[in-house]
Amino acid sequence: MKGLVYHGPGKRSWDTVPDPTIEVPTDVVVHIDSSTICGTDLHILKGDVPAVQPGTILGHEAVGTIVEKGAGVTTLEIGDRVIVSCITACGRCRFCKEGHYGLCSGGGGWIFGHLIDGLQAEYARVPFADTSVYKVPPELDDEEVLFLADILPTAYEVGVLNGRVEPGDTVAIVGAGPIGLAAVLTASLFTPAHIVAIDMDDARLERARELGADVTINNSSGAALAAVQQLTGGLGADVAIEAVGVPDTFELCTELVRPGGRVANVGVHGHSATLHLETLWIRDLTITTGLVDTFTTPRLLNLIAEGKLNALPFATHYFPLGETMSAYDTFGEAAKSHALKVVLTAVPLHAMPAAKPEKALVGVS
Ligand SMILES: NC(=O)c1ccc[n+]([C@@H]2O[C@H](COP(=O)([O-])OP(=O)(O)OC[C@H]3O[C@@H](n4cnc5c(N)ncnc54)[C@H](O)[C@@H]3O)[C@@H](O)[C@H]2O)c1
Ligand SMILES: [Zn+2]
Ligand SMILES: [Zn+2]
């Protein structure tokens, strides 16, 4: 089969690789129907995630169809269409039992495109299938649910829920990339008084307005702090969500919130940020961090199925799966291409010669 293979910092290619197979009885193999690229994949390609070994297929977000299942899989059938999430859950460890699947110590957690082969490929092996995938209601298209594989639960859990957004709050969201915009969308579920989106890219701020931000601030000239103070009568925001991952924006978030406010850090940081305890200690702040657990995926899926949440605006560019290399180029120059999420679409399984991976490969590439 074909897959997008990481060959060390700065190097990727669309290679012919061995077909995945069932390795343990709790595995399934899925035909990838739709996949996408994450900012984290770009971090990996920069060499920021050294745990990723050269030779690994990247990607941790997909919708796929089960084509093979291990003897130990009891709740899924061949032919089921499922969301394959960025987080896998063994279902047995202490953290899984507490719903902290991101911290899974039984072999799950964030493993796709990180510790095992990922989902930017024609097929993928999915470990712990019973406890890790989500069946897709037949009336929903792939791109309606694809972003449940990462950005929606990430922004909702690590941003909105950790920040304890409440009705009437002023919520400042720093960074209007896919994660920050998903925070705008899911913060709206709580009817805040204001959602303030802060970025340095006017096109992304425009997107934030479309998704529910009522105030947008271009912070290129450092105007955000004064603007948020003015909006809140000098108090500051109730919640600040950090969705960039650099020291400046983390420190800005700690300044943006009122005394007693909450800072929810979502950004992945490559450098240390300063925690100014000399000024913060007296302000009763709560600061949270986290990797997504995806415990809210069923709830968010239900909201999408009921028409209460629309993830379609995140899909800005479409490519055939076989053009994943070009999709990376477009996604990697988002400032120019205005890409938010690219949708990589495979040849549908029913259009392929046979349902088994080894046979289905004929004529695919
Ligand atoms: N915690 C988790 O589980 C988790 C999961 C996925 C992604 N992430 C992280 O979330 C962060 C956001 O992801 P994304 O895909 O939206 O990234 P992105 O790079 O697409 O978006 C970041 C946005 O921040 C803006 N920005 C950059 N510097 C800024 C500044 N100084 N002030 C204001 N805005 C600024 C950029 O213009 C851009 O729009 C990343 O660090 C990513 O790695 C965390
Ligand atoms: Zn991701
Ligand atoms: Zn576990």
Side-chain angles (χ1 to χ4, degrees):
M1 69 158 190
K2 293 281 192 183
L4 192 288
V5 180
Y6 171 70
H7 289 289
K11 295 188 209 132
R12 56 173 156 86
S13 52
W14 183 245
D15 292 351
T16 301
V17 295
D19 297 344
T21 54
I22 303 289
E23 293 181 12
V24 290
T26 46
D27 289 347
V28 297
V29 172
V30 295
H31 167 268
I32 302 294
D33 301 325
S34 299
S35 187
T36 181
I37 307 172
C38 178
T40 305
D41 297 322
L42 302 182
H43 276 297
I44 293 169
L45 278 162
K46 277 193 217 142
D48 290 349
V49 191
V52 182
Q53 295 296 314
T56 305
I57 297 172
L58 296 186
H60 51 259
E61 303 157 84
V63 176
T65 304
I66 297 177
V67 292
E68 266 190 87
K69 70 171 202 167
V73 176
T74 57
T75 62
L76 300 163
E77 297 302 334
I78 288 172
D80 281 352
R81 191 166 148 253
V82 293
I83 298 164
V84 188
S85 166
C86 59
I87 298 295
T88 299
C90 82
R92 296 178 173 192
C93 74
R94 174 207 161 156
F95 295 113
C96 281
K97 285 181 174 164
E98 292 177 352
H100 286 299
Y101 312 118
L103 297 177
C104 175
S105 58
W110 173 37
I111 56 174
F112 287 120
H114 178 206
L115 307 179
I116 67 169
D117 280 334
L119 308 176
Q120 290 157 6
E122 290 174 338
Y123 293 89
R125 179 179 76 90
V126 179
F128 306 118
D130 278 321
T131 44
S132 298
V133 303
Y134 307 85
K135 288 187 203 177
V136 181
E139 65 276 15
L140 294 178
D141 292 335
D142 286 7
E143 60 264 42
E144 290 181 276
V145 297
L146 178 59
F147 308 126
L148 288 171
D150 186 346
I151 61 166
L152 284 167
T154 295
Y156 183 56
E157 293 174 17
V158 189
V160 174
L161 295 185
N162 278 358
R164 301 202 312 270
V165 172
E166 291 186 8
D169 275 354
T170 293
V171 183
I173 298 171
V174 182
I179 295 283
L181 292 172
V184 169
L185 189 69
T186 54
S188 308
L189 295 168
F190 291 88
T191 325
H194 294 293
I195 299 180
V196 184
I198 299 165
D199 202 291
M200 304 199 297
D201 178 337
D202 285 329
R204 288 196 156 182
L205 290 172
E206 185 53 38
R207 294 273 179 184
R209 276 202 180 268
E210 289 161 15
L211 288 166
D214 59 308
V215 181
T216 54
I217 303 169
N218 187 318
N219 198 35
S220 304
S221 56
L225 184 56
V228 168
Q229 295 227 313
Q230 193 183 13
L231 182 72
T232 54
L235 266 188
D238 299 285
V239 182
I241 296 176
E242 202 285 342
V244 185
V246 298
D248 277 358
T249 48
F250 173 76
E251 290 168 32
L252 174 64
C253 284
T254 63
E255 293 167 352
L256 286 175
V257 290
R258 62 166 169 82
R262 286 95 66 192
V263 174
N265 180 85
V266 191
V268 172
H269 289 263
H271 300 281
S272 51
T274 305
L275 184 62
H276 286 286
L277 278 176
E278 73 280 11
T279 51
L280 296 176
W281 73 271
I282 202 168
R283 303 186 66 227
D284 295 20
L285 300 193
T286 301
I287 298 174
T288 56
T289 70
L291 171 69
V292 62
D293 288 314
T294 67
F295 72 95
T296 64
T297 304
R299 177 189 301 258
L300 294 168
L301 177 58
N302 196 32
L303 284 168
I304 289 174
E306 295 299 331
K308 300 278 166 45
L309 194 70
N310 178 11
L312 287 174
F314 291 103
T316 54
H317 292 70
Y318 289 78
F319 290 86
L321 183 64
E323 290 175 23
T324 298
M325 288 293 282
S326 311
Y328 262 89
D329 295 338
T330 299
F331 184 71
E333 48 180 29
K336 209 160 72 178
S337 64
H338 298 314
L340 283 179
K341 292 294 272 185
V342 298
V343 179
L344 306 166
T345 308
V347 177
L349 190 58
H350 60 73
M352 300 177 89
K356 294 285 273 180
E358 58 273 21
K359 291 183 188 157
L361 281 171
V362 179
V364 172
S365 63

